[in-house]
Amino acid sequence: QKEVEQDPGPLSVPEGAIVSLNCTYSNSAFQYFMWYRQYSRKGPELLMYTYSSGNKEDGRFTAQVDKSSKYISLFIRDSQPSDSATYLCAMGSGNTGKLIFGQGTTLQVKP
Amino acid sequence: ETGVTQTPRHLVMGMTNKKSLKCEQHLGHNAMYWYKQSAKKPLELMFVYSLEERVENNSVPSRFSPECPNSSHLFLHLHTLQPEDSALYLCASSQGVGYSYNEQFFGPGTRLTVL
């Protein structure tokens, strides 16, 4: 079983739709959770991070963590064509600096 | 230059060639990383350096040889690669490895093709 599972998509939605991206994980030791966004021909960039279970909101983006279910989500409201990218979940524990990434979900938002 | 830069951006090499990838971070960070990104696979951590000392080596074949001469520069030396080594190689840096919150800043990557 992979430590982190993420549906690779691709996911195609119309502009303005609410997008839900998800990851499940098996290692209960993970303490912090991140979402990275990767545009074509670019490196990943950090979008959201959180430590605890619950929701964290930043503009149109909401990160949700459910540690009891080992499940994290990223919601994008009022999606825009500029949100078209690959979204990578990542998680880590302790202070090793080691992050475990999901496979990435490719999102296309159509005008 | 700002952030994390990588050169070259694209590289095509034969299986018998020797080449090097270069990464430079302009963020004052103490930790640097090499990742391999293949299609439809998660990012694979290859090497971690903290204050120029290698702290992680994820069972990477010896045909990949990292070098970290100082905290701003990281190299990946390549020799006798295989076609399955074709991938996007990403460099990243972070403030350090001793932090519970460890945002890693990535470069744009080097797209490597092995013929």
Side-chain angles (χ1 to χ4, degrees):
Chain A
Q1 182 185 11
K2 293 179 185 176
E3 277 195 285
V4 179
E5 298 268 8
Q6 183 176 9
D7 186 340
L11 182 62
S12 182
V13 301
E15 183 175 353
I18 296 175
V19 176
S20 172
L21 305 169
N22 312 294
C23 288
T24 58
Y25 62 95
S26 57
N27 188 348
S28 57
F30 287 139
Q31 297 171 304
Y32 48 91
F33 306 88
M34 298 171 170
W35 286 95
Y36 279 83
R37 177 175 61 194
Q38 185 175 20
Y39 290 114
S40 180
R41 299 185 186 87
K42 297 281 183 73
E45 58 177 346
L46 183 66
L47 194 58
M48 300 279 286
Y49 79 92
T50 183
Y51 285 102
S52 56
S53 283
N55 293 353
K56 181 176 181 178
E57 191 172 315
D58 184 1
R60 297 185 294 111
F61 299 90
T62 299
Q64 188 175 77
V65 174
D66 182 348
K67 287 188 176 181
S68 62
S69 301
K70 298 190 182 68
Y71 187 88
I72 68 170
S73 299
L74 178 71
F75 297 97
I76 307 174
R77 291 184 299 281
D78 187 24
S79 55
Q80 303 294 308
S82 58
D83 296 327
S84 299
T86 297
Y87 290 80
L88 307 163
C89 63
M91 40 200 86
S93 61
N95 56 3
T96 63
K98 186 173 179 178
L99 292 178
I100 307 300
F101 284 83
Q103 190 174 346
T105 300
T106 299
L107 170 67
Q108 183 181 26
V109 180
K110 295 184 175 179
Chain B
E1 295 277 17
T2 59
V4 180
T5 58
Q6 290 186 244
T7 55
R9 293 294 308 276
H10 301 273
L11 179 62
V12 179
M13 59 187 289
M15 292 168 61
T16 57
N17 291 157
K18 290 185 180 181
K19 296 285 184 183
S20 296
L21 309 184
K22 179 183 176 182
C23 175
E24 184 172 359
Q25 59 95 1
H26 309 268
L27 300 167
H29 289 164
N30 292 319
M32 297 187 77
Y33 309 77
W34 278 117
Y35 285 90
K36 177 183 179 183
Q37 187 174 35
S38 304
K40 300 184 180 180
K41 286 188 176 181
L43 262 71
E44 299 173 49
L45 180 64
M46 300 175 72
F47 302 104
V48 181
Y49 276 83
S50 175
L51 295 171
E52 300 118 60
E53 182 180 335
R54 191 188 309 179
V55 297
E56 181 93 21
N57 178 352
N58 266 10
S59 302
V60 179
S62 59
R63 57 186 183 269
F64 295 92
S65 175
E67 178 189 2
C68 187
N70 55 62
S71 59
S72 298
H73 294 86
L74 185 65
F75 295 89
L76 188 63
H77 303 299
L78 316 170
H79 63 97
T80 59
L81 293 191
Q82 304 298 310
E84 60 264 28
D85 296 322
S86 298
L88 182 68
Y89 288 84
L90 289 162
C91 174
S93 71
S94 70
Q95 193 174 6
V97 295
Y99 298 87
S100 59
Y101 165 51
N102 184 40
E103 178 180 358
Q104 295 181 17
F105 293 79
F106 286 84
T110 294
R111 173 68 62 186
L112 174 66
T113 302
V114 181
L115 301 176

